[in-house]
Amino acid sequence: MIKPILKFLPFLIVLALLPLMLPAGRLGAYYLTLLILTASYAVAALGLTVLLGYSGQISLAQAAFFGIGAYTFAILGVHDGVPFWLAAIAAVAVAAVFGLVLGMISLRLASHYLALVTIGFQIITQLVLANWHALTGGPDGISNIPRPSLFGFALQTDEQFYWVSLAVLALAAYVVYRLRNSRLGGALLALREDEIAAAAYGISVFRTKVMAFSIAAALGGLGGVLYASGSLYISPDVFSFYQSVSFFAMVLVGGRESIVGTILGSGLVTFLPEVLRFLQSYTVAVYGLLIVVVVLFLPNGLYGALADGVGFLRSRRTAGAAPAEQLAATIATTAPRPVATSETLLEIKDLTKRFGGVTAVNGLNLTVCKGDVAVLIGPNGSGKTTVLNVLSGIYAANGGGIVFRGGTITNASPNQVHAAGISRTFQNIRLFPELTALENVVVGYFSKGTVGLAGTLLSVPRGYREEREAVAKARETLGALGFSRFDVRAKHLPYGQQRIVEIARAIVAGPTLLLLDEPAAGMNHEETAALSSILYRIHELGLTMLLIEHDMSFVASVATRAYVMDFGQKISEGSVQSVLADPAVIKAYLGDDVEYA
Amino acid sequence: MAEIIQLAITGVALGSIYALIAFGFGLIYTSVNVVNFAQGDFAMIGAYFMVSLELGARLPWWLALILAVLLAGACGALFQLLIYQPMRRRPRNFLPVMIATVGASVFIEQIFLVIYGPVPFQLPSIFKAQTIRLGGVSVYPQYLVIIGATAAMMALLRWFIEGTKLGKQLQATAQDADAARLMGIRVARMAALTFAISTALAGLAGLLIAPLYTVTSTMGTSIALKAFAAAIIGGFGSMTGAILGGISIGLIETFGATYISGTYRDAFPFLFLIIFLIIKPVGLFGEKVSQKV
Amino acid sequence: MMSNMLELAAIRSGYGAVVALHEISLEVRQGETVVLLGVNGAGKSTTLKTISGLLHPTRGTITFQGERIDRLAPETIVRRGIAHVPEGRRVFPGLTVRENLLMGTSNRRVTRAETERDIARVLEIFPDLERLYGQMGWSLSGGQQQMLAIGRGLMARPVLLMLDEPSLGLAPVIVKQVFRTIEMINRQGVTVLLVEQNVNLGLKVAHRAYLLENGRIIRAATTDALAADQEFRRSLLGASGHGAD
């Protein structure tokens, strides 16, 4: 808890001193109200940082949650005389519940549907606020909204209220910061980057998204409370679709992944009309243009562009110092390789998978014993990758069964397959490109964690312990594979190293069976040789493996048993040497010696 | 009974407007995988062009109509050049393009507000008569104009897409852009054409509905949102779906506003959509959402 | 001596960070059939994609009929006379057989009569397609799709036809038919560049072959020479490849 506070302290001090720097008189007072406004907007925008920036979900209803928070607070505080802080907490809770419900009914939808449902919710909310006279006062709104007091000390002036807002903003920022750096934050980012890969490492797509949605709604509601209390008066027109677009703009302009960026973006968007006043009626147009320009040219926002620039300079400076890494050259492979047992680990019986009229896998039978490095080979289009995808729960089988360690896992979800102890890598490497190598591997450890949202936000010690453990485990696993460029983003790693990171991510949680889909594809000789020794090493650690591979010399060097597929069926099995000598296999690879002319 | 028929005609007319825009949404979505949130603004653009050409330049209504629709389409082609083309090759561009269209929408509305001013314009109906009587039911003739023009436009489009080589090239590009390029189909032009057709449809919708309301810079927003709901209900990319979706939204809005609550008129389509999506999350005609591994 | 129709000089190409071709140089002469051989992932398909413009080389030059084409878009390259029948057939699933064939003429201006004549010519080569004329692309079997894809390539009236694994997933009887067709097309004067996993067929139909491994050409020879070389066949399975060196 100390580190983030120290990190953001200078920024906070500057913000806290802002009111003292304002000009005197009416202009200063006006600027102060804008600052209060900015703080309330920034809290709501931080909610979008979580939803849009971290989990990658689009919502155009943030102003609705802002409004729900503001109105709940105002109705409780003004009409029912509920004390300030109690009304505020209730307002946040009500907004969160709305967010939870909206999330649950809409998150199964693809993103464009989701966007529309949120717009629908936004429009309905605004209509209700404007027309339910008895509760909301209709278009007249609600006035005389109270300001808080603390320990009997009334905080009534704008200046005092600004500091209250700042404290709330700091709290919101801490919540978002804590979330980002927790196990759940890793899950959110993983979802944004690649849902299929995230699910393959035990992250529940639905639950994680709903969580992001309710956090966003709760922060929207909290911002609404600040807004209502700061303005002392609310009316429905503030909580419009346009305000939702504005929140969007704040997050995008600042940098959708950055807390500081979002706060700066909120300030910028709020103060922009003042700066652009000379443009008069073009102000809003420039606003729209700004969104377009930022999206087109600065995908990470202003703050992101700044950070990228600094990072680029820094990496330029250190690039010369770090020599190109020799992959895994130092891995010792002197220990004897474990011998395959006769104990059945995985049994595939009569597996069939059809896509439309095409039968990709046609009654496949296959047994992998504990301790095997089994390899599935066969010509292009023979159904190997489909087998792996059915095995890991991505596709449902049309027939047959899969038994793993005595339990049936036929058509289990990717989550369940992962929980059973099967982990995998993907043919076209599915790392989370914007996450660092280390973060990628930490996500692989997700299923080992136990601390939920409440524990994370309350900063329970166990959460920190688990996070440290995950990081230590990730470092250890990467280290064991001879990899040390922990803090490089996955998308910046060379191809061969991406493979290593993906393998580390797959084994960090200690699975029983590892599925590898063409691990050597696209690698050069040196990388392939390094990969062989890495697989030796993993084998020594006691993992059973099933891999698909085309590079026969690589196969010959690692596999203990080979299965050959053609046209969705197994045509041969045995040692690598024996299957490669099998006439049926040679025919499958080289083709019939047909006369056609 | 007469009232119900009257309302039904109103609902179908309104639904035709939604159908025109909904089909445009679907065209763009299926060909370039973009959701264009500025679609409604082209309805507004069509209406304003009609104002300038018919009331300003005093052109005959039919010429003004054709020119306004063509100009709206030209604006759409320009729009895709500035918004979509720069991001065409960026990986995972779905969300950024969608957000850029939201920004562009704000920009376009404001520019037209500045050009035409805040005072709403009134477009005359093509037929001067206030109402005509059809077997005991009195009908506002503009409704019939809307229904007729929509039917004609849809028939024309169906012929273009199904019956011409260019239409087939458009379909081929939507189905497999790389294969289309290997055939020699200029996919950038196809994208421009797709946007031009969709925005021309929206322009037509805007100038058809304008006599019923007033022409303002924000007139397209709520129409487009309901059209989007129609597109989701009908399924993206299918003409029949767009028409069915549009008409059901139009009927729900009209009957809901009359028999349940006029104040919540705009809420009914969205309530219907949300309920619809809970029951059937993939749209009426289903859409493949599976991701390729 | 035949002149070089297509020439690749020190081409490097790939997908994003992945370099799939390192310094590939090869040439195809007017009137030849050339086959690219090698295991999966050796870079055969990448070579075709780089020639047809779907990928742009990061280094090297590609010259076709004396003009550089390595910076051109696929839409333009097919207008110069190179038709690429891609891996996986890629017929348009929502268009009928006839419409798919029609799309093949998108590289030039054609009259209706000319189109009909070209379609008739394709149907003569693949009579099966006539029966399927009004069916949608997605409803065809793999073999039918392959015939359609080749037919669609021919509709472009190419001078160089590039085929990526035309035998993939086809029944042996259809494979024979396809290869007879390739030979016939070649005799009619169309130069052919072929990627083929069925080595025996590839060696039979082609005049010359290039063997690719790990994005490099490791051998170039006439098909007669390769057919006689038993060690070569073994090496194609890869078991005696770089693992032994």
Side-chain angles (χ1 to χ4, degrees):
Chain A
M1 183 137 184
I2 301 300
K3 222 172 77 184
I5 292 177
L6 285 179
K7 191 173 158 192
F8 292 121
L9 200 58
F11 186 61
L12 265 176
I13 290 173
V14 171
L15 287 182
L17 292 178
L18 273 182
L20 309 178
M21 296 182 226
L22 292 174
R26 279 184 49 191
L27 190 64
Y30 176 62
Y31 281 157
L32 188 59
T33 57
L34 280 184
L35 280 179
I36 293 172
L37 203 59
T38 301
S40 69
Y41 287 160
V43 170
L46 279 173
L48 269 189
T49 303
V50 173
L51 190 61
L52 178 72
Y54 297 167
S55 77
Q57 303 299 307
I58 196 165
S59 163
L60 285 163
Q62 195 63 358
F65 297 115
F66 194 66
I68 289 170
Y71 267 92
T72 309
F73 170 75
I75 291 163
L76 289 176
V78 175
H79 294 178
D80 304 326
V82 175
F84 183 95
W85 298 107
L86 203 59
I89 290 169
V92 172
V94 169
V97 168
F98 270 99
L100 185 79
V101 173
L102 186 65
M104 283 173 68
I105 63 175
S106 59
L107 280 171
R108 282 176 303 169
L109 311 168
S111 54
H112 50 291
Y113 291 162
L114 176 63
L116 191 85
V117 172
T118 60
I119 293 173
F121 179 74
Q122 167 69 53
I123 287 168
I124 293 170
T125 305
Q126 200 193 350
L127 283 168
V128 171
L129 292 181
N131 292 300
W132 195 352
H133 288 263
L135 190 67
T136 67
D140 298 337
I142 300 175
S143 44
N144 297 323
I145 297 169
R147 281 191 176 170
S149 57
L150 204 58
F151 307 118
F153 185 70
L155 302 163
Q156 300 298 325
T157 70
D158 279 357
E159 214 160 280
Q160 288 163 338
F161 189 76
Y162 172 72
W163 282 314
V164 172
S165 304
L166 198 60
V168 174
L169 175 59
L171 178 74
Y174 174 74
V175 163
V176 175
Y177 176 88
R178 179 71 198 109
L179 184 72
R180 165 67 182 84
N181 292 288
S182 72
R183 162 177 164 268
L184 295 174
L188 283 176
L189 278 117
L191 272 191
R192 179 194 70 191
E193 298 285 299
D194 192 327
E195 284 189 17
I196 287 179
Y201 299 110
I203 294 167
S204 161
V205 174
F206 182 72
R207 276 175 48 188
T208 314
K209 280 188 188 172
V210 169
M211 179 187 85
F213 224 88
S214 355
I215 293 172
L219 287 174
L222 183 61
V225 171
L226 281 186
Y227 175 84
S229 181
S231 316
L232 305 169
Y233 163 76
I234 50 173
S235 65
D237 51 313
V238 180
F239 310 103
S240 65
F241 177 60
Y242 275 96
Q243 188 56 44
S244 276
V245 174
S246 277
F247 283 132
F248 230 94
M250 292 171 193
V251 176
L252 281 181
V253 168
R256 60 171 122 165
E257 261 195 80
S258 151
I259 294 168
V260 176
T262 300
I263 295 171
L264 291 178
S266 308
L268 196 65
V269 169
T270 314
F271 277 88
L272 199 63
E274 301 307 311
V275 181
L276 296 179
R277 201 170 258 176
F278 68 95
L279 293 169
Q280 290 160 4
S281 43
Y282 288 96
T283 306
V284 181
V286 170
Y287 200 80
L289 202 60
L290 195 70
I291 298 180
V292 176
V293 168
V294 167
V295 171
L296 289 186
F297 301 108
L298 301 172
N300 298 320
L302 292 174
Y303 189 78
L306 212 66
D308 280 357
V310 172
F312 178 71
L313 288 178
R314 215 179 268 163
S315 73
R316 276 268 295 254
R317 220 179 309 144
T318 54
E325 196 162 342
Q326 280 301 308
L327 244 189
T330 53
I331 293 181
T333 51
T334 46
R337 299 186 67 183
V339 182
T341 62
S342 57
E343 182 192 338
T344 300
L345 187 66
L346 174 78
E347 196 174 6
I348 298 174
K349 283 183 288 201
D350 287 326
L351 189 72
T352 298
K353 173 66 192 170
R354 286 184 290 270
F355 295 102
V358 183
T359 304
V361 180
N362 190 4
L364 179 79
N365 287 294
L366 200 152
T367 305
V368 178
C369 291
K370 199 168 182 320
D372 260 334
V373 179
V375 64
L376 200 53
I377 58 180
N380 251 349
S382 56
K384 307 178 300 283
T385 292
T386 307
V387 173
L388 236 58
N389 284 337
V390 173
L391 210 50
S392 55
I394 290 173
Y395 295 151
N398 295 102
I402 303 166
V403 177
F404 180 66
R405 290 159 93 185
T408 302
I409 57 160
T410 322
N411 298 344
S413 71
N415 268 334
Q416 293 163 329
V417 173
H418 185 264
I422 300 181
S423 195
R424 69 167 293 174
T425 66
F426 295 89
Q427 190 172 344
N428 306 311
I429 304 188
R430 298 188 86 110
L431 284 177
F432 308 120
E434 297 291 337
L435 304 194
T436 66
L438 190 67
E439 286 170 332
N440 262 283
V441 182
V442 168
V443 169
Y445 204 68
F446 177 83
S447 56
K448 294 282 180 188
T450 58
V451 175
L453 181 60
T456 303
L457 297 186
L458 293 174
S459 304
V460 297
R462 187 153 53 96
Y464 286 110
R465 206 159 54 232
E466 284 180 3
E467 283 152 28
R468 275 197 303 272
E469 179 189 307
V471 171
K473 200 80 183 150
R475 284 176 176 273
E476 183 193 319
T477 308
L478 280 170
L481 302 186
F483 184 95
S484 62
R485 300 175 69 189
F486 298 139
D487 296 323
V488 181
R489 285 188 191 207
K491 65 173 183 186
H492 291 142
L493 287 172
Y495 190 74
Q497 298 191 6
Q498 290 191 11
R499 280 278 178 213
I500 309 297
V501 175
E502 203 193 21
I503 291 173
R505 184 179 67 178
I507 63 171
V508 66
T512 313
L513 175 67
L514 176 62
L515 309 175
L516 298 156
D517 194 351
E518 296 199 26
M523 285 188 160
N524 61 32
H525 287 186
E526 295 72 34
E527 287 170 333
T528 308
L531 182 68
S532 295
S533 58
I534 282 169
L535 294 193
Y536 279 146
R537 180 65 186 265
I538 295 172
H539 195 199
E540 282 165 18
L541 294 173
L543 254 81
T544 306
M545 281 176 264
L546 174 61
L547 57 142
I548 294 175
E549 190 45 69
H550 288 297
D551 185 333
M552 292 304 165
S553 57
F554 173 71
V555 165
S557 77
V558 298
T560 57
R561 189 161 188 82
Y563 304 86
V564 188
M565 279 182 78
D566 199 18
F567 290 106
Q569 286 173 319
K570 186 176 69 186
I571 57 167
S572 182
E573 74 172 279
S575 74
V576 177
Q577 289 311 323
S578 71
V579 298
L580 287 183
D582 185 338
V585 175
I586 294 172
K587 191 177 135 192
Y589 269 94
L590 297 187
D592 284 318
D593 204 4
V594 288
E595 278 306 322
Y596 60 87
Chain B
M1 191 59 206
E3 191 190 48
I4 290 182
I5 295 175
Q6 220 169 10
L7 287 176
I9 292 175
T10 310
V12 171
L14 211 51
S16 304
I17 298 293
Y18 299 150
L20 284 172
I21 301 176
F23 185 58
F25 269 126
L27 263 186
I28 293 182
Y29 178 71
T30 48
S31 356
V32 291
N33 198 26
V34 165
V35 172
N36 178 17
F37 270 105
Q39 195 80 346
D41 299 311
F42 290 93
M44 174 268 290
I45 289 176
Y48 270 124
F49 282 166
M50 192 71 179
V51 166
S52 290
L53 293 166
E54 194 184 7
L55 303 181
R58 304 253 164 227
L59 295 180
W61 68 265
W62 56 270
L63 186 60
L65 185 145
I66 292 172
L67 283 178
V69 169
L70 289 178
L71 283 173
C75 289
L78 183 69
F79 173 86
Q80 71 91 34
L81 191 69
L82 298 176
I83 303 290
Y84 167 67
Q85 288 295 340
M87 279 193 278
R88 188 165 54 94
R89 295 200 169 276
R90 200 185 287 174
R92 293 133 69 91
N93 63 5
F94 182 78
L95 207 60
V97 174
M98 184 147 110
I99 295 164
T101 64
V102 173
S105 162
V106 173
F107 175 75
I108 294 170
E109 280 172 26
Q110 201 60 28
I111 289 295
F112 274 78
L113 178 67
V114 172
I115 296 173
Y116 285 90
V119 183
F121 285 85
Q122 189 71 50
L123 263 182
S125 175
I126 289 161
F127 293 104
K128 300 292 170 255
Q130 274 305 308
T131 55
I132 51 171
R133 293 198 69 78
L134 276 178
V137 184
S138 61
V139 181
Y140 188 46
Q142 185 67 19
Y143 289 142
L144 301 179
V145 172
I146 290 174
I147 296 170
T150 303
M153 189 67 183
M154 289 298 198
L156 183 71
L157 261 183
R158 168 132 270 171
W159 167 77
F160 170 73
I161 291 173
E162 292 300 328
T164 67
K165 187 172 174 185
L166 191 57
K168 288 294 163 191
Q169 289 178 330
L170 213 57
Q171 283 180 287
T173 309
Q175 289 166 20
D176 189 336
D178 270 350
R181 302 181 79 196
L182 289 178
M183 303 295 108
I185 298 171
R186 300 203 187 272
V187 291
R189 282 187 205 169
M190 293 299 138
L193 185 60
T194 305
F195 273 87
I197 292 173
S198 322
T199 52
L201 285 176
L204 177 67
L207 63 84
L208 283 177
I209 202 172
L212 301 177
Y213 302 141
T214 54
V215 181
T216 66
S217 65
T218 51
M219 66 176 279
T221 314
S222 93
I223 299 176
L225 289 176
K226 288 177 213 161
F228 203 116
I232 290 179
I233 288 165
F236 279 89
S238 141
M239 187 181 277
T240 322
I243 293 171
L244 286 180
I247 289 176
S248 49
I249 292 281
L251 289 173
I252 285 160
E253 182 183 340
T254 312
F255 281 92
T258 310
Y259 291 118
I260 304 174
S261 156
T263 349
Y264 287 101
R265 179 187 189 102
D266 287 338
F268 295 117
F270 293 105
L271 269 181
F272 176 68
L273 172 78
I274 289 174
I275 293 165
F276 177 86
L277 284 173
I278 296 169
I279 299 165
K280 202 165 182 333
V282 286
L284 205 56
F285 290 90
E287 187 201 350
K288 243 167 92 182
V289 288
S290 65
Q291 213 177 335
K292 205 172 147 52
V293 180
Chain C
M1 185 67 199
M2 287 181 288
S3 61
N4 282 349
M5 172 180 264
L6 177 76
E7 209 172 300
L8 275 66
I11 285 295
R12 169 182 287 200
S13 181
Y15 310 83
V18 188
V19 179
L21 296 181
H22 314 264
E23 314 275 305
I24 288 264
S25 295
L26 59 82
E27 72 277 340
V28 179
R29 295 167 207 144
Q30 179 89 45
E32 285 193 302
T33 296
V34 173
V35 64
L36 303 182
L37 302 170
V39 298
N40 273 326
K44 308 181 302 280
S45 294
T46 312
T47 307
L48 296 198
K49 283 184 199 160
T50 308
I51 296 169
S52 67
L54 286 178
L55 297 174
H56 286 299
T58 49
R59 237 179 250 176
T61 58
I62 303 176
T63 317
F64 179 66
Q65 294 182 324
E67 285 174 55
R68 274 187 65 171
I69 59 164
D70 46 82
R71 291 284 119 207
L72 302 182
E75 299 92 305
T76 311
I77 290 175
V78 65
R79 284 179 166 70
R80 301 274 175 100
I82 301 181
H84 178 187
V85 178
E87 195 180 14
R89 310 181 271 266
R90 308 284 285 268
V91 302
F92 299 114
L95 299 189
T96 64
V97 168
R98 181 190 155 78
E99 288 162 356
N100 263 286
L101 291 176
L102 193 64
M103 289 300 103
T105 62
S106 300
N107 65 338
R108 64 193 194 282
R109 290 190 175 280
V110 282
T111 63
R112 210 179 177 84
E114 210 179 315
T115 307
E116 295 308 324
R117 211 165 42 239
D118 283 359
I119 288 181
R121 191 173 68 115
V122 168
L123 293 182
E124 209 173 288
I125 298 171
F126 300 110
D128 285 5
L129 289 181
E130 189 150 21
R131 188 168 49 82
L132 307 164
Y133 213 42
Q135 281 196 32
M136 290 287 181
W138 62 264
S139 70
L140 305 183
S141 72
Q144 293 164 341
Q145 286 190 0
Q146 186 67 64
M147 290 188 279
L148 178 56
I150 298 175
R152 193 178 61 177
L154 289 173
M155 290 296 288
R157 291 195 162 269
V159 290
L160 173 64
L161 179 64
M162 302 199 295
L163 301 165
D164 198 341
E165 307 236 5
S167 76
L168 191 69
L170 300 191
V173 56
I174 314 268
V175 171
K176 283 183 202 181
Q177 192 186 334
V178 166
F179 274 80
R180 268 200 298 273
T181 310
I182 294 173
E183 209 159 61
M184 188 184 87
I185 294 165
N186 179 244
R187 267 197 231 108
Q188 288 172 356
V190 178
T191 309
V192 177
L193 178 58
L194 180 72
V195 164
E196 183 48 63
Q197 59 163 2
N198 188 322
V199 177
N200 292 320
L201 278 174
L203 290 181
K204 276 209 181 80
V205 78
H207 303 108
R208 287 191 305 118
Y210 289 95
L211 179 61
L212 279 82
E213 188 185 284
N214 260 314
R216 292 189 173 79
I217 289 179
I218 56 167
R219 195 159 173 193
T222 64
T223 47
D224 293 340
L226 289 178
D229 183 347
Q230 285 306 313
E231 186 51 36
F232 166 70
R233 275 159 199 268
R234 264 182 51 73
S235 75
L236 269 180
L237 267 180
S240 67
H242 54 254
D245 59 34

